[in-house]
Amino acid sequence: MRAPPRRSGCPTRIDLLSPRPVTPSFPSAWLKADPRALAFLPDRFRHRTARAEAVAQAATRTVSPALLAVLRERHARLAPSPARERNLELLGRPGTVAVVTGQQVGLFLGPLFTLYKAASAIVAARTLQEETGRPCVPVFWLQTEDHDLPEVDHCFVASAAGAPRRVSLTHADAATSRVPVAHRRLGDGVLTALECLRAELGREPRADEHLSLLERAYRPEATLAEAFTEVLASIFADEGLVFIDPRDPRLAPLAAPIHRLALRDAAAVSSALARQVEALTQAGFSEQVHIRPGSPLGFFSPDGVDGPRYRLDPAGPDTWSLVGHPRGATVTTRELSDWLEKEPLRFTTSALLRPLLQDTWLPTAAYVGGPGEVSYFAQLAPLYAHAKRPMPLVVPRARFRILDDRARRLLHKLGLTPDEAGGEREALLTRLSTRDAAQTYEPAASVEARLFGAFAAVLDPLGEPMLKLDPLLLDALKRTRGTVRAAVSRLAARYGRALALRDQVTTERLDRLRALLVPDGAPQERILGMAYHACRFGTRDLARSVLDACVPFSGELQDLTP
């Protein structure tokens, strides 16, 4: 976002702390069918005719025999699933299409939305098949090329007693590693993580079922991707969910043409993408992925396929810098071309190039994504146009808020709705603790706004005549305003704490409820893993509840009561 232009001369009003305009969220605007958002990403998923057109277009493409052979071999390592075998057979037939989703391979499946993504793809595929009569297969793309280990080496476990517990692996180099997570073994730290889960959840009614599944998959010698796939494949065996890991060495030659295109046309593609970002910015939205001039949207591993990867940026004629390389190394276009022939697995995609690779390998009719991926696709039209490939339908994943019996009891005791429970904590505590009191107390935030507002209403009109008298008074005015703001904030904070402590039982109940529904103030599905609810209600029963509740092509938040 560009900084606002500097004004010359003295201000006529002191507006040093006035709020800045809030940039709207592109995914929210898109889901609300805001015309500004639809100009960048049409909501074709809402319209049955557009869905049929996307399926018909995808049905003209086929899956290569080489890709099918790899998929069959890899899936043979998983527990038998007649539904998955049937879907693999269908992928080999002309006219079959795919609904694709994907996610980083987080520990113990990562946040709950991983489960929701998989279920959304399954339901969307089922619905498109019913609408069009064409076979449609749900596919889960394992995002194993990424190297950000701290994003995937942990999960959060809900607890009825208080704040969620963070359970993580113990890789000493997690913060500095640049190796794709596909090559990371779990190590002995996973045994400690499993013990933590047992200690936290072992008393839940269905704990042994779920924890035994995790213990079979998450072994020290397994990779994050292998364990992740084994668990998710088990959960959705009856639905035949298919998996693709782009780090399979046998698939690397199939990715080489995409990397070659990205290198050859880097300048043209990045310029077109930059223009798209500029248009998004002018429409009031922020970019999801920064576009670097001349970037080929990919990474290269100079030390081997299981070595660290570095982003490629132009460094001169036919020369590329390896961004972040400890010695500032560079590589030539000729060298990259040679490696694409000899060892293409040294190349990995970025978040913007990955969708094009997916849709090159698969007859993708629709992609199911979360808010971040929706924002990616808002930037991607120029890349697809340059590659002469149609963009798939972009479908919002299902969104759920699980209200188990514990959460429902707390809601009842507190007299709150689930939406109210997600409000500002201090205001909620004030409301709850003074609900039955003879004296009505104003919320702390309201007190702060009223006090400072009264002060500002007196000070601000004095600004212009004071500055005309002596421009050097500006610093004094700023200091006075800041000092009073800080003092009022301190007073309001103390007042708010006093209100909150009036009823400790209510405070504890509210905090337990928020830990279940809005941990750390964030949506439940983005923080908590599935282990808590799976141990309470059963792994497959939880998945079935999600599948049954999925409304295809919706994206609206729903409450789920297993």
Side-chain angles (χ1 to χ4, degrees):
M1 182 181 295
R2 292 189 177 90
R6 296 179 62 87
R7 297 175 182 172
S8 58
C10 295
T12 59
R13 181 179 180 275
I14 303 175
D15 56 358
L16 306 173
L17 298 179
S18 58
R20 297 179 180 178
V22 177
T23 302
S25 159
F26 181 89
S28 297
W30 181 68
L31 282 174
K32 294 175 183 175
D34 185 328
R36 294 177 302 161
L38 300 186
F40 298 95
L41 186 64
D43 58 348
R44 296 187 297 147
F45 71 92
R46 300 185 197 272
H47 310 291
R48 183 163 180 162
T49 300
R51 296 197 294 265
E53 290 171 352
V55 169
Q57 192 172 56
T60 63
R61 307 194 300 275
T62 57
V63 178
S64 74
L67 176 58
L68 278 171
V70 172
L71 293 181
R72 291 192 180 105
E73 190 279 330
R74 290 188 70 95
H75 285 81
R77 307 174 193 174
L78 300 173
S81 164
R84 191 180 304 116
E85 292 171 10
R86 170 67 174 164
N87 279 340
L88 288 170
E89 178 189 346
L90 287 173
L91 277 177
R93 295 183 185 178
T96 296
V97 302
V99 171
V100 183
T101 191
Q103 183 56 36
Q104 293 171 300
V105 289
L107 182 65
F108 306 141
L109 298 191
L112 273 163
F113 64 66
T114 299
L115 183 72
Y116 304 159
K117 276 185 169 182
S120 300
I122 290 164
V123 171
R126 187 183 298 158
T127 305
L128 289 179
Q129 183 164 311
E130 292 170 353
E131 289 181 350
T132 66
R134 290 189 179 275
C136 191
V137 174
V139 178
F140 197 100
W141 186 278
L142 302 161
Q143 294 181 12
T144 56
E145 294 185 312
D146 296 340
H147 65 265
D148 198 341
L149 191 57
E151 287 191 356
V152 297
D153 68 353
H154 65 278
C155 72
F156 287 93
V157 183
S159 167
R165 180 171 183 180
R166 188 179 193 272
V167 178
S168 63
L169 302 174
T170 52
H171 292 292
D173 64 339
T176 58
S177 174
R178 302 186 67 94
V179 175
V181 297
H183 306 292
R184 298 304 300 249
R185 303 284 169 184
L186 291 165
D188 290 339
V190 76
L191 300 177
T192 303
L194 289 165
E195 289 173 3
C196 289
L197 286 186
R198 281 259 176 213
E200 191 71 37
L201 303 173
R203 294 184 180 87
E204 299 295 344
R206 307 284 291 275
D208 194 60
E209 168 200 324
H210 185 68
L211 296 179
S212 294
L213 171 62
L214 296 181
E215 287 162 355
R216 288 194 299 272
Y218 283 87
R219 306 175 306 278
E221 68 274 15
T223 66
L224 275 161
E226 289 167 347
F228 181 102
T229 305
E230 185 174 337
V231 172
L232 201 57
S234 175
I235 293 172
F236 292 111
D238 290 348
E239 289 71 32
L241 186 62
V242 171
F243 298 86
I244 291 184
D245 183 350
R247 291 302 292 167
D248 190 300
R250 295 164 294 181
L251 297 181
L254 305 182
I258 294 298
H259 290 290
R260 193 170 289 113
L261 170 72
L263 280 167
R264 185 192 68 209
D265 299 343
V269 168
S270 65
S271 295
L273 291 173
R275 289 192 294 271
Q276 183 83 344
V277 166
E278 178 65 23
L280 276 164
T281 303
Q282 290 177 356
F285 302 110
S286 58
E287 62 181 350
Q288 179 73 11
V289 179
H290 179 62
I291 305 300
R292 295 172 175 82
S295 170
L297 308 177
F299 293 75
F300 178 66
S301 296
D303 301 326
V305 298
D306 57 355
R309 71 175 195 155
Y310 302 95
R311 190 180 71 247
L312 292 167
D313 268 2
D318 293 322
T319 305
W320 306 85
S321 64
L322 301 176
V323 179
H325 193 281
R327 297 187 302 279
T330 61
V331 61
T332 67
T333 301
R334 176 62 180 272
E335 288 170 332
L336 291 174
S337 297
D338 289 344
W339 282 118
L340 271 172
E341 292 294 333
K342 293 186 298 185
E343 205 168 20
L345 198 62
R346 287 177 179 250
F347 293 79
T348 48
T349 60
S350 66
L352 291 181
L353 195 59
R354 184 186 300 126
L356 184 62
L357 179 61
Q358 291 171 175
D359 300 337
T360 300
W361 284 359
L362 296 166
T364 310
Y367 183 84
V368 173
E373 291 145 320
V374 166
S375 295
Y376 294 159
F377 273 96
Q379 296 183 214
L380 279 176
L383 176 60
Y384 275 81
H386 187 88
K388 296 181 172 57
R389 290 201 172 273
M391 284 181 63
L393 293 171
V394 178
V395 177
R397 65 164 172 81
R399 299 164 57 218
F400 292 109
R401 178 171 51 195
I402 300 178
L403 304 177
D404 68 352
D405 52 330
R406 289 168 176 164
R408 295 196 300 273
R409 281 197 300 271
L410 289 167
L411 286 167
H412 176 73
K413 289 176 179 178
L414 293 167
L416 295 175
T417 67
D419 286 340
E420 288 172 334
E424 200 275 324
R425 178 179 179 273
E426 184 179 299
L428 278 172
L429 285 172
T430 301
R431 168 186 160 186
L432 294 171
S433 63
T434 62
R435 183 168 46 194
D436 301 320
Q439 171 69 46
T440 300
Y441 292 93
E442 186 177 357
S446 176
V447 168
E448 180 176 359
R450 193 156 58 84
L451 286 174
F452 188 74
F455 170 76
V458 175
L459 180 68
D460 288 355
L462 298 176
E464 184 175 359
M466 283 187 177
L467 295 176
K468 286 181 178 178
L469 180 66
D470 184 355
L472 297 179
L473 287 172
L474 177 60
D475 286 342
L477 288 169
K478 287 182 180 179
R479 287 195 301 272
T480 301
R481 189 183 184 91
T483 299
V484 173
R485 164 65 91 182
V488 169
S489 294
R490 287 194 299 271
L491 175 62
R494 291 188 62 181
Y495 168 68
R497 287 193 294 271
L499 286 175
L501 291 173
R502 290 186 79 249
D503 188 342
Q504 193 62 41
V505 172
T506 296
T507 300
E508 291 173 357
R509 286 175 176 170
L510 181 64
D511 285 343
R512 290 204 310 273
L513 176 64
R514 287 172 61 84
L516 289 171
L517 300 187
V518 282
D520 293 329
Q524 175 196 71
E525 61 183 16
R526 299 195 65 81
I527 303 295
L528 302 181
M530 71 175 289
Y532 167 78
H533 296 101
C535 286
R536 298 209 69 215
F537 306 108
T539 308
R540 178 59 189 171
D541 287 347
L542 177 63
R544 189 178 294 111
S545 296
V546 170
L547 286 166
D548 291 344
C550 271
V551 178
F553 315 118
S554 169
E556 296 295 325
L557 177 65
Q558 300 176 75
D559 286 332
L560 190 65
T561 54

